[in-house]
């Protein structure tokens, strides 16, 4: 029996209640605009003319009709049609075609794929546009247990004359028991671009409030043959081809996916795709290769948010098994406000190096909750510039899960303001002999590590190791991992220019004051009363390692000569520099200041900033042998997100020292 979708978004509860009262005769608003209403009742004894009084009684009759703008095709509630529904014709933007249910009661009309036919889907929309589908039940069983390519609902376009398949709505559809094979051509619901002659993509696709259960291999996905670009690499017959044509306005929202043989939701070759408010669980339940819960590949600016993923299995042939994955060929994917728990392969995978010659960059992971996930929190197998901040992680007693497993490829990542409560025995490690954990690839600022402290726990200049005092540590709900009133994780976060405006719970975030650590902003703040926070990490060089500063030439930490604290950085002889990339906001003026000195006359030491705009740099110079304070200002460009600051022995045979460097918004 159908379990109704979980209505999460505001306003949907009322709509769900209203939907319980099903009219005997559907609306004819579209027909009044010029379309025709036709009816299909596969339980009818005789085939009619398609009217309500004399409905069609076979899919063949419906498939023979060419539908036009404003037409509606209604299937009888409680009746089952066996075979493939493959309608013809397209609507228009002003008058799309509707496929839905009619009749009294709550039973859905069923389209059951015929296992003896060669069709690859129970409902197959091929090279048609402007369709809206509601209220159907779709299944594609095989009593003989013969697996091959099968889909519940397949929307496919190929070599369209104008290159765009436009406007598709799938809402409140129930797809179940689709017995596909282990290839990624078999799905509950898939939007597929095929063809090889005319570059083609989808535009304006929404799948929402639908249910997918017991399908092989994947749940809800899209794919395309127009997928090749340098960042994707040379695999999948791409070679040196560059034909990437992404789908646009692609939205998967409010769906429930369960009991898949493989993946839950996959977003492929999309530009600004949106995957939100979905629940996915009991995934990768059968041996079908490596699979994850919700992931994106070969896409730009994907947004994966407000999803709950749990109980992804990690079978013997599944190297993944985690909730989320930023795979190869991605640019600027964002995973935020998600809830992950009890996944056998962990929380997150970076897999930028998983394809031949591939890469990914700019992945952001923020304001997520992971608790009781297993094996590892993050698998790092390739990402050139990732940011992971304001996440909360709980690993219970007895857990062997690592915080980070460093795999093949190189991952460069920044970890800021995260809360790691690790009561188990895991830590930081290489991944199954495929890589060696390299701490130089990661930078850490203002993270909390409570519980287990392995010998290679990261150095962090603002590390805290005290109990963050969750309201109910070990619980099952997000509220259990909020910060108690006296938590030492309150108001001690490092500055993050891309912090955002809301936390997991929708609470506003400080823009000047220090934030709380983790996925929840539980303490009150007054931005008007706070001094802008220093953007420089390890600004006084008090960390025993130079990280997150990088160096070239002669650079050391000096415990003898310093302005304050226990260390300063020593650079020289010329030319030598300590550098740090900081995060900044665009179109913003900053003041860079610090203390400096040189060892001998004729030596010049520069404290400066660069790479904050398309052109230009700024610096101030120290030439005296006693510590003095100097400053300079710079204004970032319209697209700036980072700047590079430096302490640079520019000329001379002596040495220079820098200490207590700050960058604050002016």
């Amino acid at each position: 029996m159908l379990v109704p979708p979980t209505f999460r978004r505001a306003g949907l509860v009322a709509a769900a209640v209203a939907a319980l009262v099903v009219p005997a005769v559907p609306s004819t608003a579209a027909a009044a605009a010029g379309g025709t209403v036709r009816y299909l009742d596969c339980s009818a004894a005789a085939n009619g003319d398609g009217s309500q009084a004399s409905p069609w009684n076979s899919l063949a009759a419906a498939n023979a009709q060419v539908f036009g703008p404003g037409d509606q095709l209604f299937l009888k509630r409680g009746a089952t049609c066996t075979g493939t529904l493959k309608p013809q014709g397209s609507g228009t933007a002003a008058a799309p075609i509707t496929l839905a249910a009619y009749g009294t009661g709550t039973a859905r009309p069923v389209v059951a794929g015929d296992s003896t036919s060669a069709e690859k889907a129970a409902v197959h929309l091929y090279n048609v546009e402007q369709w809206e589908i509601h209220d159907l039940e779709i299944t594609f069983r095989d009593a003989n247990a013969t697996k091959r390519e099968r889909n519940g609902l397949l929307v496919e376009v190929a070599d369209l004359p104008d290159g765009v398949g436009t406007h598709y709505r799938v809402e409140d559809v129930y797809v179940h028991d689709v017995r596909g094979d282990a290839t990624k051509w078999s799905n509950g619901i898939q939007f597929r671009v095929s063809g090889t002659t005319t570059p083609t993509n989808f535009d304006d696709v929404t799948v929402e409030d639908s249910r997918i259960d017991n399908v092989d291999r994947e749940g809800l996905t899209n794919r395309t043959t127009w997928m090749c670009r340098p960042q994707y690499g040379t695999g999948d017959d791409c070679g040196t081809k560059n034909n990437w044509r992404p789908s646009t306005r692609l939205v998967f929202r409010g769906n429930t996916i369960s009991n898949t043989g493989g993946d839950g939701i996959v977003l492929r070759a999309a530009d600004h795709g949106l995957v939100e408010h979905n629940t996915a669980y009991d995934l990768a339940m059968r041996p079908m290769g490596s699979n994850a819960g919700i992931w994106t590949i070969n896409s730009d600016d994907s947004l994966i948010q407000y999803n709950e993923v749990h109980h992804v299995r990690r079978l013997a042939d599944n190297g993944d098994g985690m909730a989320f994955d930023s795979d190869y060929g991605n640019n600027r994917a964002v995973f935020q406000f998600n809830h992950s728990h009890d996944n056998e392969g962990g929380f997150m995978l970076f897999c930028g190096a998983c394809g031949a010659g591939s890469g990914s960059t700019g992945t952001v992971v923020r304001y997520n909750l992971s608790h009781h996930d297993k094996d590892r929190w993050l698998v790092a197998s390739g990402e050139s510039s990732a940011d992971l901040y304001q996440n909360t992680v709980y690993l219970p007693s007895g857990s062997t899960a690592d915080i980070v497993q460093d795999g093949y490829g190189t991952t460069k990542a920044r970890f800021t303001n995260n809360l790691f409560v690790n009561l188990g025995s895991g830590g930081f490690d290489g991944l199954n002999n495929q890589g060696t954990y390299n701490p130089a690839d990661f930078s850490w600022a203002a993270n909390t590590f409570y519980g287990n402290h392995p010998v290679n726990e990261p150095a962090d200049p603002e590390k805290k190791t005290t109990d963050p005092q969750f309201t109910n540590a070990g619980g099952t709900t997000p509220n259990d991992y909020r910060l108690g009133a006296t938590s030492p994780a309150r108001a001690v976060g490092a500055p993050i220019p891309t912090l955002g405006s809301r936390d997991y719970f929708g609470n506003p975030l400080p823009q000047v004051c220090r934030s709380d650590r983790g996925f929840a902003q539980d303490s009150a703040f007054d931005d008007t009363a706070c001094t802008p926070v220093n953007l420089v990490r390890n600004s006084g060089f008090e960390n025993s390692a130079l990280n997150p500063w990088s160096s070239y030439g002669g650079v050391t930490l000096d415990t003898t000569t310093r302005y304050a604290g226990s260390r300063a950085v020593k650079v020289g002889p010329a030319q030598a520099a300590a550098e740090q990339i900081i995060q900044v906001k665009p179109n913003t003026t900053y003041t860079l200041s610090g203390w400096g000195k040189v060892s001998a006359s004729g030596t010049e030491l520069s404290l400066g900033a660069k790479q904050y705009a398309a052109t230009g740099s700024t610096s101030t110079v120290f030439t005296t042998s006693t510590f003095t304070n100097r400053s300079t200002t710079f204004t970032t460009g319209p697209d700036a997100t980072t700047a590079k600051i430096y302490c640079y022995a520019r000329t001379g045979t002596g040495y220079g020292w820098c200490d207590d460097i700050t960058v604050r918004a002016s």
Side-chain angles (χ1 to χ4, degrees):
M1 181 167 180
L2 172 66
V3 179
T6 301
F7 293 93
R8 290 169 169 250
R9 293 171 289 121
L12 287 181
V13 174
V17 173
L20 294 178
V21 181
V22 181
V25 180
S27 168
T28 58
T36 302
V37 181
R38 294 178 173 85
Y39 298 85
L40 171 61
D41 177 6
C42 288
S43 66
N47 192 46
D49 59 8
S51 65
Q52 187 175 13
S54 180
W56 294 325
N57 74 344
S58 71
L59 293 174
N63 292 342
Q65 177 68 37
V66 178
F67 294 91
D71 285 354
Q72 299 181 51
L73 172 60
F74 290 101
L75 278 62
K76 181 67 178 292
R77 288 184 177 275
T80 297
C81 296
T82 300
T84 292
L85 176 59
K86 194 172 183 178
Q88 304 178 69
S90 295
T92 64
I97 300 169
T98 300
L99 171 61
Y102 80 99
T104 58
T106 59
R108 298 170 184 265
V110 178
V111 178
D114 182 359
S115 63
T116 65
S117 76
E119 294 288 349
K120 55 188 177 184
V123 178
H124 190 185
L125 272 61
Y126 182 76
N127 272 2
V128 298
E129 302 177 69
Q130 300 286 347
W131 278 76
E132 299 184 351
I133 303 174
H134 309 272
D135 309 320
L136 300 188
E137 182 174 341
I138 302 169
T139 186
F140 203 161
R141 296 184 177 93
D142 184 358
N144 297 319
T146 301
K147 291 190 174 185
R148 60 174 177 84
E149 180 190 348
R150 289 190 179 90
N151 297 270
L153 169 61
L154 175 61
V155 182
E156 183 178 10
V157 292
D159 300 324
L160 292 176
D162 65 354
V164 183
T166 303
H167 186 75
Y168 305 86
R169 292 287 184 276
V170 178
E171 183 179 13
D172 194 18
V173 169
Y174 176 35
V175 179
H176 63 98
D177 296 292
V178 177
R179 195 165 185 82
D181 57 20
T183 71
K184 297 187 179 184
W185 300 98
S186 292
N187 304 264
I189 299 176
Q190 185 175 84
F191 281 77
R192 180 185 301 175
V193 179
S194 52
T196 58
T197 61
T198 304
T200 302
N201 67 285
F202 284 109
D203 176 65
D204 189 17
V205 171
T206 299
V207 180
E208 62 184 348
D209 302 329
S210 293
R211 182 79 165 88
I212 299 172
D213 179 65
N214 193 21
V215 301
D216 291 330
R217 170 180 176 173
E218 299 184 311
L220 171 58
T221 74
N222 72 298
R223 68 179 306 131
T224 180
T225 54
W226 303 94
M227 62 184 177
C228 297
R229 58 175 174 171
Q231 196 169 5
Y232 187 67
T234 59
D236 294 327
D237 298 320
C238 280
T240 59
K241 286 192 297 186
N242 190 2
N243 64 3
W244 188 71
R245 185 178 173 101
S247 289
T248 54
R249 294 195 289 170
L250 189 63
V251 178
F252 298 155
R253 175 189 292 129
N255 305 288
T256 300
I257 294 94
S258 63
N259 192 10
T260 64
D263 303 302
I265 299 176
V266 187
L267 191 66
R268 298 181 175 95
D271 183 9
H272 286 85
L274 176 62
V275 180
E276 66 176 5
H277 296 284
N278 301 283
T279 300
Y281 65 94
D282 290 346
L283 308 178
M285 300 295 287
R286 293 167 282 284
M288 290 188 171
S290 294
N291 300 278
I294 298 177
W295 55 285
T296 181
I297 183 171
N298 198 22
S299 298
D300 287 355
D301 302 290
S302 301
L303 182 56
I304 317 293
Q305 62 179 7
Y306 301 111
N307 303 286
E308 181 179 357
V309 180
H310 60 95
H311 293 94
V312 180
R313 295 184 69 185
R314 192 180 180 209
L315 301 177
D317 67 335
N318 186 2
D320 296 347
M322 60 284 297
F324 300 99
D325 168 23
S326 180
D327 220 276
Y328 58 94
N330 283 331
N331 293 308
R332 301 173 300 277
V334 175
F335 295 78
Q336 62 181 12
F337 313 129
N338 298 294
H339 181 195
S340 168
H341 60 94
D342 299 288
N343 297 293
E344 291 185 2
F347 166 66
M348 189 78 207
L349 167 65
F350 292 160
C351 214
C354 292
S358 65
S360 286
T361 189
T363 299
V364 173
V365 180
R366 64 180 189 175
Y367 293 103
N368 301 285
L369 170 63
S370 166
H371 64 88
H372 297 90
D373 284 326
K374 298 173 176 60
D375 200 50
R376 56 272 171 111
W377 180 66
L378 170 69
V379 178
S381 290
E383 225 291 350
S384 65
S385 180
D387 275 293
L388 303 96
Y389 56 89
Q390 303 288 164
N391 300 288
T392 294
V393 183
Y394 177 83
L395 301 173
S397 176
S399 168
T400 59
D402 288 326
I403 301 297
V404 177
Q405 287 181 357
D406 202 359
Y408 46 83
T410 299
T411 298
K412 299 290 187 180
R414 293 171 292 273
F415 299 78
T416 313
N417 297 349
N418 301 290
L419 276 176
F420 298 103
V421 173
N422 180 11
L423 305 182
S425 59
F428 304 85
D429 204 351
L431 174 61
N432 300 330
N433 299 318
Q434 295 172 345
T436 301
Y437 179 73
N438 183 3
D441 291 339
F442 309 113
S443 65
W444 304 79
N447 299 280
T448 291
F449 298 91
Y450 175 69
N452 177 42
H453 298 286
V455 293
N456 60 348
E457 182 175 282
D460 183 335
E462 295 184 70
K463 178 191 297 188
K464 286 190 176 295
T465 58
T466 48
D467 185 352
Q469 300 176 16
F470 295 142
T471 56
N472 182 29
T476 60
T477 71
N479 277 317
D480 291 325
Y481 297 92
R482 303 187 74 159
L483 301 177
T486 61
S487 170
R490 289 181 173 230
V492 290
I496 301 175
T498 57
L499 188 68
S501 60
R502 300 282 171 178
D503 72 353
Y504 178 96
F505 296 98
N507 299 317
L509 300 173
Q511 301 302 306
V512 180
C513 299
R514 287 184 176 268
S515 67
D516 295 349
R517 296 183 185 181
F519 79 136
Q521 177 64 37
D522 287 311
S523 65
F525 58 89
D526 179 3
D527 277 337
T528 64
C530 290
T531 300
V533 180
N534 182 15
L535 301 182
V536 182
R537 299 174 178 179
N538 194 16
S539 61
F541 303 96
E542 297 305 303
N543 195 350
S544 59
L546 193 62
N547 186 32
W549 294 87
S550 60
S551 64
Y552 73 85
V555 178
T556 59
L557 292 175
D558 193 335
T559 59
T560 302
T561 302
R562 73 269 188 193
Y563 169 71
S566 58
R567 296 178 181 87
V569 67
K570 178 182 178 181
V571 295
Q575 294 174 341
E579 299 179 333
Q580 183 180 148
I581 295 175
I582 62 172
Q583 295 177 289
V584 296
K585 294 180 179 180
N587 298 317
T588 303
T589 299
Y590 293 93
T591 298
L592 166 65
S593 66
W595 294 84
K597 61 171 283 186
V598 297
S599 64
S601 176
T603 297
E604 289 189 357
L605 177 72
S606 294
L607 176 64
K610 58 184 178 179
Q611 299 176 10
Y612 52 80
T615 60
S617 63
T618 185
S619 65
T620 186
V621 177
F622 301 92
T623 58
T624 64
S625 59
T626 58
F627 273 108
T628 57
N629 183 262
R630 299 187 66 86
S631 63
T632 184
T633 62
F634 63 95
T635 301
T636 57
D639 301 315
T641 57
T642 61
K644 180 177 284 188
I645 60 172
Y646 56 85
C647 173
Y648 174 43
R650 186 171 67 180
T651 62
T653 59
Y655 297 92
W657 289 263
C658 290
D659 204 356
D660 287 359
I661 300 171
T662 63
V663 174
R664 302 181 193 274
S666 300

